[in-house]
């Protein structure tokens, strides 16, 4: 080996390495080589040739050398924290997070493995998952979206694993990145912790949790059923059509479109996939849902299978060219259970996912496919091994677009989309449909000249009025191409066919084409013989128009078209003479019944059923009248009316009709309104603005004269339509607010912004709105309040348009100002009307008042675009102030919450106006001011007593009062809970950086609410549901406090010369802070939240130091100082700040972000203590000795060096006051014993204590040197004995424990510590009893009894027995101890009867000669006699003992150079 005498320090960026090969396994344990394992992190301190001098990151004391080739160096940064160096590797954050987590999990995984814990398997799976993720991330060429998804996967894996292991929770943003607490608001951090906790609590199981990641089920309004038809188990021997659809067995009809699959003869079936969509809650609630497959054969009338062994195409087997649709079979399967399952079933292709759809061939015996289906459904299920379809089914949440976005792999291959027959439960604005579903129901046809029933086929075509066929608009099912005609199934020799076949007609989109379109049905007999079939002609015809004469579309329901017999000689297929005939005869018998080639056939009948699903055409008469009202007015121009009175009368009639039409709009279904929403609004606002004017214009134009302006401008009927239009708008707005049509809110907003143009509408809407609110009707007022947002949006838009028009006119500035003033006046009148409504005390208007408060915030954003935000804020403040305190508190606070969330609160000017009323309402409802809770608290004592009495006597009620659980009295009112939420929202918004200056707002909040918030936290317990939120609010308020504000806040208390209020505030705050440190108000795993809390509260404590130091020194107030010291010590001794107990990773992170906050707190204590004069410090002696000892026992050397000198200063103060420091010494020793026994302290404390105190004593010039050094020596030796005893306290062998206790007893006697001697004397006694060494236990108690006298004097406190604390005189205690000693000596395991006799004799002597307790003599004498008898008659073995010496350093320190007598039983 080369000379390694010169070691060179390495650069900081090269000081972090990872061991890549294990080293030092066979090295000498006392040598220089460092034993290291693969993957361990090391701190490279120096290098020399081929060697590194390193120390382990996890344990800096493990140091040594290792070859350079065994270390992989990684770039790093070093943060210097006092004596510590925090090394942070330079790697991507996600990689570093995975690495740190794996290191931490690895150790815990080993622990769980060793104890065979069931969590081991879950941890192992998480570790494997993270390893895979890390490998994947390290690979290049990742897309941004892929990397984002992978981050989420990593985050979810880490969070789940940490939850399993009860490790610290990590809060993240939406991308999976950990939140930075330094830039995140406290409220947001708290909320994210809550959300993460709730999310982790919902994990269904710990084992296998990773497999369920990413499988969350979205709650959506629509469901989709994905079906994959894998194969069919029957042979396709002829061309056929398969039509799948969903069927409600109870209603006896399909509720979805059919999906059509066409197969050629002898073809191989290819798997097909189709997605049934628009399934909602009503469909899930159906009691029996079936998946049905109709199979129709396409070919000759009669099927003949020829030469089945020959593999030739079917087309070559016969020359028959017939293409007749004939029933072939039905497949059916009950799938109701799929809709009853809680979540989606993902098709995997395994047998568990496959559903068998049994196939039953059609048997033609005068029944239809529908009847055949009904029979199949009612019969028992067919076994899965028979013919049928093999399908996999999956119920998926969402529409196709949502599924494509969330789970695109499920829709691979573009499955056929199958819509519902009708609109879904929730209609989407962009869902444009124009479909007419036609069902051929049944027919009845006479035989005519034929001897048998006909084989009837119905051909359906769509035509225009000129006879032209409308091509490609008929669809047999989804997945099929558009057809020119649809042919029905043909039943053999059936004159009363019941088809129940449904097909779809895609209606023409243009109104003109739709108005002239009709559906034509022709009926034809199909012969079994091909030659004859070719000569067959249609024998009957029927038709229906798509649009009725009144303009509406064909209504839903069953229709019976008139049947017309065809004369083949006169009828021409392209003729449209039949349109002259009525499509039905419901209009009466006088209708025309024939035309060339056609004659009404009363013996034939035919029925169809239609269902319209259109967003273009309406079936509602009232809606059509509304939409076409302007057309009706134009028709008046055809009449010449000269007389003015006649025109007025006609105007009245038209207005009445219009008014009636408006009233009928409320009867129109919501679906119809939504389909034509923009057109409805156009009509309504046209009526609102121009109704009378338009009517008079039309009447005047018919008379060819200029309209009389005053007639329509001042006509009393001018406002007749305003209120009906207003009511129509309320009805429509109510529909949009309904869950079913909630998506149309975007349509309404688009209409307002892009299409609405009624410039004068705002005046009438404002007037009607003010009138309705000023003269409220309870139910209508609530509806108006729900619609308030939409009314205001229309008003604002109308006003904006008019204002722009005015500004465009030259010289119209004055007019624009008048318009603005008029508008502002109307808005103020509206707020006044709402204020009067809120102030109404009548109970009938409570719901309307709640609605007003709920929906008022919705008008803020639209109004603020055209209205002064300051004035709007003032109006809102006045409105809120009209609500009487104590009434409708929850709606009021909710309204304030919504106002705070609005854009108004983000403006600094308006926020200044709003903040006082917000703060006032918050202050009134804070937990500390919760009147309801105070009332219940006053009843708490009575309730507790009543419950106690009731339980004692076994009754459920006492004096007529039910026994109430005490826990119920601690519940806060709903107003208080809402108030805390509101305050959280305010503080969160004020943390934002884009809302202007917030220092004045924070200052106001602190002056108004800080004291109440602190008081409120002091009144609630750690388990209170609001505790965490309230602490987060306090943290946020203190964190955002501007520099210098605290001193200004404190100055407000100094108006009182007695400083009473300041005294109370400071003490309350310090006590609350101490409680926050002593009992954590957040879960232990919320480490980020706890650390941020400590950092903020420590900064607050630094502010309080100046207040305590400046305001409570002269005159001196001990209580604030005492609270400050206790609070600060509680801070630095809390478990959440003990860095030594953290993992290496967590410790490094905490130090890099916050440093060691304990050192800052310790420095505060040192400064505050020594800022006091000696006469003031003496008042804390010896009371604060234990408090400062807790601080000194924290295992941090720097902190100990700060704390220990305070003990010496206490000794000096005590010595100056009392000429000795006995009080300090006694208290220090007593508290030290308690602390060491509870697990605090270590040899490091002993060494620093000895070093610091010896140095202080030797440098003292007040006469403390000798006595001080003696005290230090005493305490140091005591620490050695106590630490030795604590080290062996858990050992199974009691010998070591006894030795340590004896050492403590000897030491106590040596230094004269009787209370310490007695403490460990009883510990030795208990240990002897536990080991059944009863003789030794008796002698141990005898040591105590010897220190007592047979007198009535009181027992000194240092001699009181923990076994008999109630015995206060020495004679009573000594007598009790003697009886115990006798009992121990007399025990069968001891048999020390001679020793017992000696004790009995002394006790006898006291009874007879000193105490004269003759009543006790017989008993003690009998006992002595019994003991003598045992000596004479019982056999005893002589006890054997060995004298054992412990010499040499191999023994523990407490045994070295000791000689003991040990029973041979112990050796």
């Amino acid at each position: 080996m080369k000379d390694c005498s010169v070691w060179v320090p390495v650069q900081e960026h090269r000081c972090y390495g990872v061991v890549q090969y294990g080293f030092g396994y066979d090295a000498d344990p006392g040598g220089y080589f460092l034993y290291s394992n693969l993957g361990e992190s090391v701190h490279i301190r120096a290098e020399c040739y081929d060697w590194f001098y390193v120390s382990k990151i996890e344990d800096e004391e493990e140091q040594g050398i290792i070859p350079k080739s065994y270390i992989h160096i990684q770039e790093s940064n070093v943060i210097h924290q006092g004596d510590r160096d925090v090394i942070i590797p330079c790697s991507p954050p996600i990689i570093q997070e995975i690495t740190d987590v794996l290191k931490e999990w690895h150790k815990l995984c080993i622990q769980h493995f060793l104890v065979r814990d069931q969590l081991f398997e879950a941890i192992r799976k998480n570790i494997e998952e993270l390893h895979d993720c890390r490998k994947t991330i390290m690979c290049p060429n990742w897309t941004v979206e892929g990397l984002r998804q992978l981050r989420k996967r990593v985050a979810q894996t880490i969070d789940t694993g940490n939850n399993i292991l009860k490790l610290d929770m990590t809060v993240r943003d939406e991308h999976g990145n950990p939140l930075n607490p330094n830039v995140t608001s406290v409220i947001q951090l708290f909320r994210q912790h809550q959300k993460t906790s709730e999310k982790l609590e919902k994990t269904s199981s710990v084992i296998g949790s990773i497999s369920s990641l990413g499988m969350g089920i979205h709650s959506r309004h629509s469901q989709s059923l994905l079906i994959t038809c894998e194969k069919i188990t029957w042979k396709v021997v002829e061309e056929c059509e398969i039509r799948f659809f969903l069927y409600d067995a109870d209603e006896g009809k399909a509720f979805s479109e059919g999906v059509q699959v066409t197969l050629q003869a002898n073809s191989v079936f290819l798997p097909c996939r189709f997605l049934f969509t628009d399934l909602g809650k009503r469909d899930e609630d159906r009691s029996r849902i079936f998946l049905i497959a109709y199979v129709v054969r396409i070919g000759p009338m009669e099927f003949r299978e020829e030469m089945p062994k020959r593999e030739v195409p079917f087309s070559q087997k016969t020359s028959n060219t017939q293409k007749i649709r004939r029933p072939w079979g039905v497949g059916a399967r009950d799938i109701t259970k799929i809709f009853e399952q809680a979540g989606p079933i993902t098709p995997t292709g395994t047998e568990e996912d496959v559903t068998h759809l049994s196939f039953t061939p059609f048997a033609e015996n005068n029944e239809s496919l529908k009847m055949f289906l009904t029979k199949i459904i009612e019969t028992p299920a067919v076994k899965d091994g028979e013919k049928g379809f093999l399908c996999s089914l999956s119920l998926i949440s969402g529409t196709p677009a949502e599924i494509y976005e969330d789970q695109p792999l499920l829709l691979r291959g573009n499955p056929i989309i199958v819509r519902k027959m009708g609109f879904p439960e929730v209609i989407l604005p962009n869902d444009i449909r124009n479909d007419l579903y036609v069902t051929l129901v049944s027919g009845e046809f006479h035989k005519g000249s034929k001897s048998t029933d006909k084989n009837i086929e119905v051909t359906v075509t769509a035509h225009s009025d000129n006879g032209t066929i409308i091509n490609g608009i008929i669809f047999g099912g989804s997945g099929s191409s558009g057809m020119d005609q649809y042919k029905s199934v043909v039943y053999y020799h059936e004159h009363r066919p019941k088809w129940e076949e449904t097909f779809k007609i895609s209606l023409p989109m243009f109104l003109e084409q739709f108005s002239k379109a009709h559906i034509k049905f022709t009926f034809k007999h199909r012969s079994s013989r091909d030659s004859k079939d070719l000569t067959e002609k249609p024998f009957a015809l029927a038709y229906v128009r798509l649009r009725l004469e009144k303009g509406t579309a064909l209504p839903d329901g069953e229709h019976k078209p008139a049947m017309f017999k065809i004369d083949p000689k006169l009828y021409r297929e392209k003729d449209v003479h039949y349109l002259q005939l009525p499509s039905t005869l419901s209009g009466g018998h006088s209708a025309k019944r024939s035309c060339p080639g056609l004659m009404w056939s009363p013996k034939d009948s035919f029925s169809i059923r239609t269902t319209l699903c259109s967003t273009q055409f309406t079936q509602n008469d009232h809606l059509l009248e509304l939409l076409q009202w302007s057309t009706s007015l134009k028709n008046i121009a055809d009449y010449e009316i000269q007389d003015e009175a006649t025109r007025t009368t006609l105007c009245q009639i038209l207005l009445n009709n219009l008014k009636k039409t408006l009233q009928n709009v409320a009867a129109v279904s919501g679906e119809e309104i939504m389909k034509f929403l923009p057109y409805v609004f156009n009509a309504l606002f046209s009526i609102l603005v121009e109704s009378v004017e338009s009517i008079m214009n039309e009447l005047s134009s018919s008379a060819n004269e200029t309209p009389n302006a005053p007639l329509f401008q001042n006509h009393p009927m001018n406002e007749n339509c305003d209120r009906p239009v207003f009511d129509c708008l309320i009805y429509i707005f109510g529909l949009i607010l309904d869950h079913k049509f909630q998506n149309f809110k975007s349509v309404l907003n688009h209409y307002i912004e892009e299409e609405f143009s009624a410039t004068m509408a705002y005046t009438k809407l404002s007037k009607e709105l003010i009138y309705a609110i000023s003269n409220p009707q309870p139910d209508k007022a609530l509806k108006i309040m729900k619609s308030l947002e939409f009314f205001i949006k229309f008003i604002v838009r109308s006003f904006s348009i008019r204002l722009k028009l005015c500004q465009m006119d030259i010289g119209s500035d004055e007019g624009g100002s008048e318009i603005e003033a008029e508008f502002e006046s109307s808005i103020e009148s509206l707020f006044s009307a709402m204020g009067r409504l809120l102030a109404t005390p009548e109970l009938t208007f409570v719901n309307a008042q709640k609605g007003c408060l709920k929906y008022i915030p919705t008008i803020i954003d639209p109004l603020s675009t055209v209205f002064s935000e300051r004035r709007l804020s003032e109006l809102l403040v006045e409105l809120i102030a009209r609500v009487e305190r104590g009434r409708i508190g929850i709606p009021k606070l909710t309204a304030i919450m919504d106002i705070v969330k609005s854009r108004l609160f983000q403006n600094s000017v308006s926020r200044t106006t709003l903040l006082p009323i917000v703060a006032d309402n918050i202050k009134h409802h804070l937990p500390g001011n919760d009147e309801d809770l105070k009332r219940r608290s006053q009843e708490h004592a009575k309730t507790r007593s009543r419950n106690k009495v009731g339980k004692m006597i076994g009754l459920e009620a006492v004096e007529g009062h039910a026994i109430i659980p005490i826990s119920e009295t601690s519940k806060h009112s709903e107003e208080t809970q809402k108030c805390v939420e509101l305050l959280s929202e305010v503080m969160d918004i004020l943390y934002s950086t884009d809302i202007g200056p917030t220092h004045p707002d924070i200052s106001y909040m602190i002056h108004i609410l800080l004291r109440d918030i602190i008081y409120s936290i002091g009144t609630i317990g750690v388990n209170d549901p609001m505790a965490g939120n309230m602490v987060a609010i306090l943290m946020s308020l203190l964190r955002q406090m501007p520099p210098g504000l605290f001193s200004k806040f404190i100055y407000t208390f100094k108006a009182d010369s007695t400083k009473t209020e300041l005294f109370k505030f400071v003490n309350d705050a310090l006590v609350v802070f101490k409680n926050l440190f002593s009992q954590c108000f957040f879960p232990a795993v919320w480490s980020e939240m706890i650390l941020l809390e400590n950092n903020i509260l420590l900064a607050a404590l630094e502010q309080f130091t100046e207040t305590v130091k400046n305001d409570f020194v002269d005159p001196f107030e001990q209580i604030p100082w005492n609270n400050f010291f206790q609070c600060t010590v509680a801070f630095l001794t809390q478990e959440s700040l003990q860095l030594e107990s953290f993992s290496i990773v967590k410790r490094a992170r905490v130090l890099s972000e916050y440093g060691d906050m304990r050192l800052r707190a310790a420095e505060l204590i040192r400064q505050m203590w020594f800022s006091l004069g000696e006469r003031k410090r003496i008042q804390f002696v010896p009371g604060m000795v234990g408090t400062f000892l807790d601080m000194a026992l924290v295992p941090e050397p720097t902190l100990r060096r700060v704390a220990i000198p305070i003990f010496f200063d206490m000794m000096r103060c005590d010595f100056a006051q009392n000429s000795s420091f006995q009080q300090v010494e006694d208290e220090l020793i007593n508290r030290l014993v308690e602390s060491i026994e509870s697990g605090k302290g270590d040899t490091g404390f002993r060494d620093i204590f000895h070093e610091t105190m010896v140095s202080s004593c030797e440098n003292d010039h007040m006469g403390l040197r000798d006595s001080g050094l003696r005290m230090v020596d005493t305490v140091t030796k005591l620490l050695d004995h106590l630490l030795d005893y604590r080290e062996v306290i858990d050992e199974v062998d009691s010998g070591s424990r006894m030795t340590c206790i004896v050492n403590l007893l000897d030491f106590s006697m040596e230094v004269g510590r009787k209370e310490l001697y007695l403490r460990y004397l009883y510990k030795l006694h208990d240990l002897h009893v536990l080991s059944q060494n009863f003789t030794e236990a008796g002698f141990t108690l005898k040591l105590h009894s010897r220190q007592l006298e047979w007198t009535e004097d009181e027992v000194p406190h240092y001699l009181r027995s923990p076994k008999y604390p109630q015995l206060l005189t020495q004679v009573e205690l000594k007598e009790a101890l003697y009886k115990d000693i006798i009992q121990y000596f007399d025990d069968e395991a001891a048999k020390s009867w001679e020793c017992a006799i000696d004790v009995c004799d002394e006790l006898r002597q006291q009874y007879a000669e000193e105490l004269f307790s003759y009543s006790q003599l017989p008993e003690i004498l009998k006992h002595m006699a019994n003991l003598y008898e045992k000596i004479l008659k019982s056999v005893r073995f002589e006890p054997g003992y060995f004298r054992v010496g412990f010499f040499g350093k191999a023994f523990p320190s407490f045994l070295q150079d000791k000689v003991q007598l040990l029973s041979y039983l112990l050796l």
Side-chain angles (χ1 to χ4, degrees), residues 1263-1310:
L1264 287 178
R1265 185 179 184 281
D1266 296 336
S1267 57
L1269 289 174
R1270 283 195 299 271
M1271 190 274 285
V1272 172
D1273 183 63
T1274 300
V1275 173
T1276 303
K1277 290 181 179 179
L1278 175 61
L1279 281 170
D1280 288 333
H1281 292 306
L1282 290 173
L1283 291 173
D1284 289 341
Y1285 173 62
R1286 191 178 70 184
E1287 186 176 353
V1288 301
I1289 196 170
D1290 293 326
E1291 289 186 4
V1292 178
D1293 181 21
S1294 61
S1296 297
R1297 284 180 283 169
M1298 290 182 183
T1299 301
C1300 290
I1301 293 175
V1302 170
N1303 291 341
L1304 280 167
L1305 291 174
D1306 293 343
F1307 173 77
S1308 301
M1309 290 297 295
E1310 178 183 343

Side-chain angles (χ1 to χ4, degrees), residues 255-257 277-279 417-437 478 504-509 611-617 675-676:
F255 60 89
S256 75
E257 291 183 9
T277 66
D278 303 334
L279 305 176
I417 305 299
V418 189
R419 301 297 301 268
K420 189 176 176 181
M421 279 203 297
F423 285 103
E425 292 181 14
V426 177
I427 303 175
L428 300 176
N430 57 352
D431 189 4
I432 306 300
R433 299 182 65 179
N434 209 23
D435 302 324
L436 179 68
Y437 297 95
S478 299
K504 180 176 71 175
I505 297 178
S506 183
L507 297 177
M509 295 300 294
T611 302
L612 180 67
C613 186
S614 173
T615 56
Q616 184 74 17
F617 308 113
K675 289 190 294 185
F676 308 98

Side-chain angles (χ1 to χ4, degrees), residues 911-920 990 998-1010 1037 1042 1045 1049:
R911 186 167 60 245
T912 304
T913 305
L914 292 169
L915 202 56
I917 196 166
V918 173
D920 180 67
L990 292 180
T998 59
H999 286 181
D1001 307 316
I1002 296 296
S1003 176
Y1004 182 83
M1005 296 291 287
I1006 287 176
H1007 281 84
I1008 299 299
L1009 294 177
L1010 179 59
L1037 199 59
L1045 178 59
F1049 175 68

Side-chain angles (χ1 to χ4, degrees), residues 1266-1393:
D1266 296 336
S1267 57
L1269 289 174
R1270 283 195 299 271
M1271 190 274 285
V1272 172
D1273 183 63
T1274 300
V1275 173
T1276 303
K1277 290 181 179 179
L1278 175 61
L1279 281 170
D1280 288 333
H1281 292 306
L1282 290 173
L1283 291 173
D1284 289 341
Y1285 173 62
R1286 191 178 70 184
E1287 186 176 353
V1288 301
I1289 196 170
D1290 293 326
E1291 289 186 4
V1292 178
D1293 181 21
S1294 61
S1296 297
R1297 284 180 283 169
M1298 290 182 183
T1299 301
C1300 290
I1301 293 175
V1302 170
N1303 291 341
L1304 280 167
L1305 291 174
D1306 293 343
F1307 173 77
S1308 301
M1309 290 297 295
E1310 178 183 343
V1311 298
R1313 292 284 168 183
K1314 294 184 177 180
E1315 69 281 1
L1316 186 63
Y1317 177 85
L1318 195 65
R1319 179 189 186 93
Y1320 286 98
L1321 183 70
Y1322 273 91
K1323 286 185 181 292
L1324 181 62
H1325 160 265
D1326 295 340
L1327 191 57
H1328 280 312
V1329 172
L1330 185 65
S1331 303
Q1332 295 188 345
N1333 301 328
F1334 294 108
T1335 300
E1336 289 80 357
F1339 281 115
T1340 302
L1341 286 184
K1342 205 167 185 180
L1343 293 175
H1344 183 199
S1345 65
R1346 287 175 182 172
Q1347 302 180 52
L1348 299 172
E1349 302 292 338
W1350 292 103
T1351 65
E1352 295 291 338
D1353 297 340
E1354 184 180 358
V1355 180
H1357 70 279
Y1358 53 83
L1359 290 180
R1360 289 181 181 174
S1361 171
K1363 191 174 181 180
Y1364 299 107
Q1366 73 279 8
L1367 302 181
L1368 302 180
T1369 62
Q1370 294 194 37
V1371 65
E1372 291 176 338
L1373 179 57
K1374 190 164 185 173
E1375 181 183 2
L1377 291 176
Y1378 269 35
K1379 290 181 179 180
D1380 286 344
I1381 293 169
I1382 294 170
Q1383 184 178 355
Y1384 287 143
F1385 287 156
D1386 191 21
D1387 191 273
E1388 285 298 323
K1391 297 183 180 180
S1392 300
W1393 298 310

